[in-house]
Amino acid sequence: MKLFTSLSFFLFIASVLASLVRNPNPLNGENATVSLRATADIPRTWDSTAMADFELPLATPKASPRHVPTAYYYRLPERVIYKTYPVYAPGREPAGYWEWLHKQEPQIVFDPAKLKTEADWIKAGELLFDSPIDNQGAILTNEDVRDPAFYAYTKMPLTKDGIMPYARYVISERGKVLVGNISCGMCHTRVEPNGLVLKGAQGNFPGDRATAWGLRKADTPEAGIRFFTSLMFNAPFVKDDPNTQLSQQSSAEIIKAFEAVPAGTMGRQGTSILFPPSVPDLIGVKDRTYLDHGGLARHRGIGDMMRYIAVNQAMDFLSDYDGYIPVGIKNKTRPEAGKSRFVGTYDRHSEAQLYALSKYIYALKPPVNPNKPSGQSKRGERIFIEQGCVTCHTPPLYTNNMLTPVDGFEVPDDHRKKYDIFEISVGTDPGYALKTRRGTGYYKVPSLKGVWYRGPFLHDGSLAKLDDLLDPKRVRDDYVPTGFKGANVSTRAVRGHEFGLELSAADRSALLAFLNTL
């Protein structure tokens, strides 16, 4: 049953997941140690000292999230990782495949005792990257992925073999095949126009269109749609919170807002479908100092990557934002550990699973770049230097790994000592940074490496192509954004980051040629 069909959408029965759990984690106390250190040097994820300064304060400091206590976190049962299988689009499935799936026995595929080498951990991490944390229909159901109309509505990208790579079938008991949702790979997998799959790249799963499909098709009651939207996005600590206002609108208006978010951007929890973040490219993330568009999470090593994954799958729903807990009882009281009924909050990845997943993410490599250096690109590199682009997008990472404040945010004095602040605003829309549960008042300086396979661009995906970034017409009010526009919007200026807009057409072409070689 589609999770969006009613208010009971969220009321999962804890015993459904409990039946999947083999070994509850014995780490119940603040001073417990990780028992797998003989196998690998695995940091402790929910370490109270590390968690204390893991994240930046929010732009509304008093609402900075207070995450669940350590003892609470380790009382949650560990996830069991089952073998998964490809999802084919209708008409592309091999003959007899569906029937064959129903004859398969469940197979548990993650066993840290068998991981002896670095390569073993990375390979296991890839399995986890594609492994869903939900098989109860949080986004997609069997009915959806076997319906040709779903693919037409969402404009779903497919591989050369007709596979929809953003979800996988899960078999946790023989004869029962369910489509799994909410894996890392769901958001961070990209299918290029030629069918090439790029794991870890800026993903292009049309997730918000898929959500809109589910809401429309299931004829979800208005109260259920409003509840879901508020759970995902409300930031009541923000003055005149536009997300709360959206969640109080009609079903039709909310669904239009979901439909307006293009592939390559995603209204993940705690962000907004009014200011949707473009999906981050994970390739090269090992060298990034901050995670999230606003630099919310510090990245000081693999332990922080593990913490980031844990928070985002999906412990932040249990966090306390100045008295507001997204999945709390009446948004006030945190449920007992393991008793929450919302996906991802009643269980967690084990330490070994998080470690393997982080190892895989760190090992991601970019695809072979078809854009080779040329005389034009070398000229473009000179322009890149002359225009001062290297100040923020500093080689060889093509980022200075710093945070830039948005217009309307005053940098606190103590931030200058704690964080890497580049105190020049580039003038892009500040909505995400000031009006969401992830807003810090900053945007991080992104790396330009791999821009040739990425898109849409800017933090909100307003521009579909890199060329559009250098189009002088984009700052005019009559401009039609090529990426995210917003519901009920026909034209709007895409202001900010106006570097290079005064270049001649020849110089812009040379600069683009250089950027595409990175």
Side-chain angles (χ1 to χ4, degrees), residues 254-432:
I254 293 172
I255 290 172
K256 279 200 294 185
F258 277 105
E259 288 177 324
V261 179
T265 59
M266 184 77 73
R268 71 182 301 175
Q269 78 264 20
T271 64
S272 176
I273 49 176
L274 301 174
F275 321 105
S278 57
V279 180
D281 183 4
L282 299 183
I283 298 172
V285 74
K286 185 177 182 179
D287 296 319
R288 309 286 180 264
T289 305
Y290 298 95
L291 306 173
D292 258 27
H293 281 293
L296 174 62
R298 302 171 73 186
H299 186 205
R300 301 161 294 188
I302 196 168
D304 280 342
M305 178 58 70
M306 293 164 62
R307 290 174 197 107
Y308 183 77
I309 297 168
V311 168
N312 287 277
Q313 284 197 339
M315 287 294 101
D316 54 343
F317 280 115
L318 290 163
S319 299
D320 186 327
Y321 299 84
D322 191 31
Y324 174 77
I325 301 173
V327 298
I329 301 166
K330 297 183 178 181
N331 297 123
K332 293 292 184 183
T333 305
R334 189 176 286 137
E336 183 182 342
K339 299 299 183 182
S340 171
R341 294 175 181 177
F342 186 72
V343 61
T345 60
Y346 38 55
D347 61 355
R348 64 177 176 84
H349 281 309
S350 71
E351 306 284 56
Q353 289 167 1
L354 289 170
Y355 183 76
L357 185 48
S358 300
K359 282 286 188 181
Y360 173 69
I361 291 171
Y362 279 3
L364 288 166
K365 302 294 182 186
V368 176
N369 192 336
N371 305 294
K372 305 304 179 186
S374 63
Q376 187 184 35
S377 71
K378 291 185 182 301
R379 179 168 167 256
E381 184 175 15
R382 290 195 296 273
I383 295 170
F384 185 80
I385 296 170
E386 291 166 359
Q387 290 291 309
C389 305
V390 292
T391 304
C392 290
H393 301 288
T394 312
L397 299 178
Y398 289 92
T399 175
N400 61 11
N401 269 324
M402 299 182 79
L403 305 172
T404 66
V406 301
D407 293 342
F409 178 73
E410 185 174 339
V411 178
D413 290 338
D414 64 325
H415 284 206
R416 297 180 177 91
K417 299 176 182 178
K418 294 180 180 178
Y419 312 120
D420 306 292
I421 311 298
F422 187 72
E423 292 198 51
I424 296 177
S425 171
V426 296
T428 52
D429 186 283
Y432 176 97

Side-chain angles (χ1 to χ4, degrees), residues 74-207:
Y74 285 115
R75 280 199 297 271
L76 299 175
E78 294 178 0
R79 291 172 183 145
V80 177
I81 309 302
Y82 289 98
K83 184 176 180 179
T84 62
Y85 302 83
V87 173
Y88 289 87
R92 305 295 299 276
E93 194 172 270
Y97 180 69
W98 187 241
E99 294 74 18
W100 175 83
L101 284 175
H102 282 79
K103 297 176 183 177
Q104 302 310 299
E105 298 288 345
Q107 299 180 46
I108 295 172
V109 294
F110 184 83
D111 181 356
K114 295 180 179 180
L115 307 179
K116 307 298 183 184
T117 67
E118 182 86 352
D120 291 341
W121 283 98
I122 292 171
K123 185 177 180 180
E126 183 173 11
L127 289 175
L128 288 155
F129 184 83
D130 292 322
S131 182
I133 67 171
D134 163 75
N135 62 4
Q136 302 296 311
I139 298 176
L140 306 176
T141 65
N142 287 2
E143 182 183 14
D144 295 332
V145 301
R146 305 186 70 75
D147 185 347
F150 167 75
Y151 291 83
Y153 176 88
T154 58
K155 300 179 182 178
M156 185 68 66
L158 299 174
T159 71
K160 293 178 180 178
D161 297 324
I163 292 171
M164 192 270 285
Y166 311 104
R168 306 273 294 181
Y169 287 124
V170 180
I171 299 172
S172 58
E173 59 181 276
R174 194 176 195 273
K176 188 175 183 179
V177 181
L178 296 172
V179 67
N181 294 275
I182 316 179
S183 66
C184 297
M186 176 169 264
C187 294
H188 298 286
T189 297
R190 187 178 188 89
V191 181
E192 294 287 77
N194 63 1
L196 178 68
V197 176
L198 304 180
K199 284 192 174 184
Q202 179 181 357
N204 57 356
F205 171 57

Side-chain angles (χ1 to χ4, degrees), residues 22-68:
R22 291 185 305 157
N23 299 310
N25 196 312
L27 304 180
N28 291 326
E30 175 69 26
N31 298 316
T33 58
V34 178
S35 61
L36 294 166
R37 291 191 183 277
T39 306
D41 187 16
I42 300 177
R44 180 172 170 78
T45 302
W46 221 258
D47 175 85
S48 59
T49 301
M51 291 294 293
D53 60 356
F54 164 58
E55 292 182 335
L56 271 69
L58 297 188
T60 306
K62 68 175 183 176
S64 300
R66 288 180 289 131
H67 297 301
V68 301

